[in-house]
Amino acid sequence: MTDRSIGHRDKRKQILDAAIRVFADHGYHRARVGDIAEDAGVAHGLLYHYFASKDDVLRTIFVENWGELIARFRAVEAADEPAQEKLVGIAKILLRTWRNNPALVTVMVREVARSQELQAQVDDVGEAFAIIQRVIEEGQATGMFRRDVDARLASWLVYGGLEEVLTGWVLGQLPDGEEDVARAESTAIEVALRGLAV
Amino acid sequence: MTDRSIGHRDKRKQILDAAIRVFADHGYHRARVGDIAEDAGVAHGLLYHYFASKDDVLRTIFVENWGELIARFRAVEAADEPAQEKLVGIAKILLRTWRNNPALVTVMVREVARSQELQAQVDDVGEAFAIIQRVIEEGQATGMFRRDVDARLASWLVYGGLEEVLTGWVLGQLPDGEEDVARAESTAIEVALRGLAV
Amino acid sequence: MTDRSIGHRDKRKQILDAAIRVFADHGYHRARVGDIAEDAGVAHGLLYHYFASKDDVLRTIFVENWGELIARFRAVEAADEPAQEKLVGIAKILLRTWRNNPALVTVMVREVARSQELQAQVDDVGEAFAIIQRVIEEGQATGMFRRDVDARLASWLVYGGLEEVLTGWVLGQLPDGEEDVARAESTAIEVALRGLAV
Amino acid sequence: MTDRSIGHRDKRKQILDAAIRVFADHGYHRARVGDIAEDAGVAHGLLYHYFASKDDVLRTIFVENWGELIARFRAVEAADEPAQEKLVGIAKILLRTWRNNPALVTVMVREVARSQELQAQVDDVGEAFAIIQRVIEEGQATGMFRRDVDARLASWLVYGGLEEVLTGWVLGQLPDGEEDVARAESTAIEVALRGLAV
DNA sequence: GATGAATGAGATTTCATTCAT
DNA sequence: AATGAATGAAATCTCATTCAT
């Protein structure tokens, strides 16, 4: 029984993981349901047992993983730290996810973050920006960040800078060794903080 | 008369412009060749007179417009101005393209940035980053920008911040009125310059 | 029940048989994939489940049936009979195929004989001539056939004469009733044997 | 004026010759009107100035050249010679045309001789067989050929043997050097004559 | 749960033919 | 006569989804 119920989860997880890899490699539209099934080592019909459609697979990837990211963002936001530190924390979360699961980041960055439909469907997308924005506003309120900068816009600038670094790694255009990632992290954080600093 | 003044080459241009509109509206994959032809007011077969495939249309849009962007970047780089001013110039070129041709920016941001193959095919892509990088290095050499920042990485951060603002406009998530764009411009520039400043 | 007894492999066979009929009726190029599917009573997409392309269907028809023909030729060649009898056997196999499956012969004669590529792809084609050639050489060795005739060339003459009779039937230019076929058989054999006889 | 009218003929001839080459290389259906025009060095639109359609080009090739062949067959038939010699003459005409224009023979053999539609359209096709048949009947009447052979069927056998040799040359499967052709000629003739001889 | 044969809407692409110049 | 841009019918092929087993 337990065996069987674990089996369920297993196959579902296998499909999801395979989808992340395949979407990352070929892009959502070029990826075929058959490719995902093959990568997962299951018959393609099984995909429809766990998911309503190919689209639903992407949506699931997004919801399950973005939700986790947001949860960690929220934890940082709620922490009792100065705004600067919070921004550092958020940048670290974003960049380090890459090391854990590059394919996942690729999919999130390439397919989800730029898709109008998905963004419209899921409220969580804007939440990431909202958290960054609130942290910046907090910094402005406590006098650590300049007030003549629109916090909303700044959140997009900051997020964009970080995402582009991820993209550079995704595309293999920026070095992504252990040290490189660490250096990128501190550089990005410093530039951002100084840019916003009073 | 009108027909004659339109001339031959122009059908090609019509198709390309239509493709930009249609790709921007529906996305590359959902856009049908027939939609492009209809929007351009020609038979769909004509598209294959000028282009090898639907994919070739996207590639052409990319190459021709990115080439133009790079040319303008180069002009800024070559100008006799301090590095700071050059960075401002580049940011202005990038952001103002939105008001000039939102559909084009939408396609470039949404479709092209997503396609590894496309980027790999064209050397010009890297050139944009290279120019920004050189400008930053120039600023570091003249003592205007901090030297403890990796110029290559910084170029990605700067470009990413700017592109994300464009993305915000594309997705309708950031206000893009005349004033908003002007404000975004100065905010982005200030944040970037302060971030890099000594 | 009936469905079950038909089984899986049979759809492939149905498609192949339908293709033979449709190719025979309209010719390969005028035949549409949809026609084949309709004749086979399946959706056209299923054709691509079993075959890579329309062309692959023709190739398969060719390979599978030519292979069978060759097998029967080989059996005759291996038999313990005088060369004359073997040549008679081969002629009978070739000509009687018409009554067994006129559509197949039509396709083989009309489409396959026309396609250089197809013939080049399959070694078996040359094998038919090679067998006839060996039988003639055997006859020459045993003194039954004249030796001043090039066996290779003679094999082409013999095969050509027989194929042309088939073509006459295919084109409806030669009578192909039961008796006609029998008469053609003996005439062809006699002419060929006398032509080669010492 | 003469220049111009020669020009007319020239272009028409160029197109026809190009068509023969292209049809021979790729087969009628795979050959594109554009290929013919390119090979002829003219714009493809011009083809429609001289011919009603692609099909008409093939028909013209057939009519103009088959007519010539038939004329020569008739001359041989009308000559004051024994039937044997006439058959020899016909075989020579058929086989030697190859040396003069292999591409033409390829088209005639591959596209025309096996096409029901063309054969139906042009009465001349059957005429070749009819002449051979009459010559054989003549030989039977004069006692040179065996009478227990159906003359009609025999004409197909003879024609088929010769055509297959041509096919062998077309496909590059039989040697077609000067000497080879001469030898093939005598072999074919001998085999055929002996086959029919009393 | 699992499989993969079967479906069929839908999209791209080809290319013979037309026709304004 | 000559050109080649323009047309659009028609055909192949793809692939997400269904469903009997």
XYZ file of all heavy atoms in Angstrom, chain A residues 8 11 43-44 49-50, chain E residues 1-6:
183
model
N 2.961 6.191 -6.824
C 2.236 7.318 -7.404
C 3.097 8.543 -7.442
O 3.374 9.126 -8.473
C 0.997 7.641 -6.558
C -0.067 6.591 -6.654
N -1.287 6.761 -6.103
C -0.081 5.397 -7.272
C -2.014 5.669 -6.350
N -1.295 4.845 -7.059
N 6.166 8.473 -9.864
C 5.953 8.687 -11.286
C 5.610 10.153 -11.554
O 6.080 10.748 -12.512
C 4.810 7.783 -11.788
C 5.171 6.299 -11.812
C 5.817 5.871 -13.117
C 6.420 4.486 -13.065
N 5.453 3.411 -13.321
N 5.091 5.846 -20.178
C 4.312 6.025 -21.398
C 3.680 7.411 -21.371
O 3.314 7.924 -20.311
C 3.229 4.966 -21.485
N 3.563 8.016 -22.537
C 3.103 9.408 -22.536
C 1.657 9.522 -22.077
O 1.240 10.579 -21.609
C 3.295 10.051 -23.909
C 2.482 9.431 -25.002
N 2.935 8.383 -25.749
C 1.239 9.712 -25.460
C 2.016 8.049 -26.628
N 0.988 8.830 -26.471
N -2.706 11.153 -16.696
C -3.293 10.627 -15.471
C -3.019 11.601 -14.323
O -3.842 11.767 -13.420
C -2.688 9.268 -15.157
C -3.368 8.565 -14.038
N -4.594 7.954 -14.186
C -3.015 8.400 -12.755
C -4.965 7.441 -13.027
N -4.019 7.684 -12.146
N -1.873 12.245 -14.394
C -1.480 13.144 -13.308
C -1.764 14.605 -13.616
O -1.938 15.414 -12.717
C 0.007 12.978 -13.006
C 0.343 11.636 -12.414
C 1.046 10.684 -13.132
C -0.058 11.325 -11.113
C 1.347 9.451 -12.582
C 0.236 10.100 -10.544
C 0.939 9.162 -11.284
O 1.234 7.953 -10.732
P -2.382 6.988 -9.019
O -1.015 7.394 -8.842
O -3.094 7.735 -9.930
O -2.198 5.464 -8.979
C -2.722 4.621 -9.951
C -1.645 3.675 -10.408
O -2.279 2.610 -11.098
C -0.679 4.279 -11.423
O 0.491 3.498 -11.433
C -1.456 4.144 -12.706
C -2.125 2.791 -12.500
N -3.470 2.688 -13.067
C -4.558 3.472 -12.817
N -5.620 3.111 -13.490
C -5.204 2.033 -14.228
C -5.911 1.218 -15.147
O -7.088 1.302 -15.485
N -5.101 0.220 -15.685
C -3.777 0.030 -15.365
N -3.156 -0.978 -15.971
N -3.101 0.777 -14.509
C -3.877 1.757 -13.989
P 1.817 4.026 -12.175
O 3.005 3.319 -11.639
O 1.762 5.501 -12.181
O 1.556 3.476 -13.643
C 1.600 2.071 -13.825
C 1.506 1.725 -15.298
O 0.121 1.642 -15.672
C 2.171 2.705 -16.270
O 3.143 1.951 -16.978
C 1.029 3.209 -17.151
C -0.025 2.133 -16.979
N -1.419 2.575 -17.062
C -2.002 3.623 -16.415
N -3.288 3.755 -16.670
C -3.560 2.726 -17.549
C -4.749 2.313 -18.191
N -5.920 2.915 -18.036
N -4.675 1.242 -19.011
C -3.499 0.627 -19.163
N -2.323 0.911 -18.601
C -2.422 1.986 -17.804
P 4.065 2.629 -18.116
O 5.365 1.941 -18.124
O 3.982 4.099 -17.977
O 3.273 2.191 -19.417
C 3.042 0.790 -19.640
C 2.222 0.621 -20.890
O 0.875 1.063 -20.639
C 2.718 1.441 -22.085
O 3.202 0.541 -23.060
C 1.492 2.225 -22.553
C 0.340 1.528 -21.854
N -0.816 2.397 -21.496
C -2.070 2.081 -21.985
O -2.289 1.133 -22.717
N -3.080 2.917 -21.580
C -2.960 4.026 -20.752
O -3.931 4.701 -20.456
C -1.614 4.307 -20.284
C -1.372 5.490 -19.398
C -0.628 3.490 -20.672
P 4.397 1.008 -24.025
O 5.288 -0.146 -24.242
O 4.935 2.315 -23.594
O 3.528 1.237 -25.344
C 2.566 0.266 -25.744
C 1.625 0.900 -26.742
O 0.636 1.679 -26.035
C 2.274 1.887 -27.723
O 1.518 1.899 -28.931
C 2.072 3.211 -27.036
C 0.648 2.999 -26.571
N 0.167 3.935 -25.569
C 0.901 4.762 -24.765
N 0.170 5.503 -23.981
C -1.134 5.128 -24.272
C -2.361 5.580 -23.745
O -2.570 6.427 -22.871
N -3.450 4.931 -24.330
C -3.350 3.960 -25.300
N -4.496 3.458 -25.752
N -2.209 3.528 -25.798
C -1.138 4.158 -25.245
P 2.047 1.171 -30.194
O 2.615 -0.120 -29.814
O 2.847 2.144 -30.952
O 0.672 0.918 -30.973
C -0.240 -0.051 -30.463
C -1.662 0.371 -30.759
O -2.085 1.435 -29.878
C -1.942 0.886 -32.166
O -3.270 0.479 -32.490
C -1.829 2.384 -32.018
C -2.445 2.596 -30.645
N -1.943 3.741 -29.878
C -0.649 4.104 -29.669
N -0.508 5.168 -28.894
C -1.811 5.512 -28.578
C -2.345 6.547 -27.790
N -1.602 7.441 -27.133
N -3.691 6.623 -27.680
C -4.432 5.709 -28.311
N -4.051 4.687 -29.077
C -2.706 4.646 -29.171
P -3.787 0.781 -33.975
O -4.761 -0.280 -34.251
O -2.636 1.020 -34.872
O -4.575 2.150 -33.791
C -5.736 2.150 -32.974
C -6.338 3.543 -32.943
O -5.533 4.376 -32.087
C -6.419 4.262 -34.288
O -7.776 4.579 -34.556
C -5.565 5.516 -34.114
C -5.521 5.687 -32.608
N -4.304 6.343 -32.130
C -3.005 6.013 -32.425
N -2.110 6.786 -31.854
C -2.878 7.689 -31.112
C -2.525 8.765 -30.275
N -1.278 9.138 -30.026
N -3.533 9.449 -29.704
C -4.790 9.091 -29.955
N -5.242 8.098 -30.716
C -4.227 7.422 -31.278
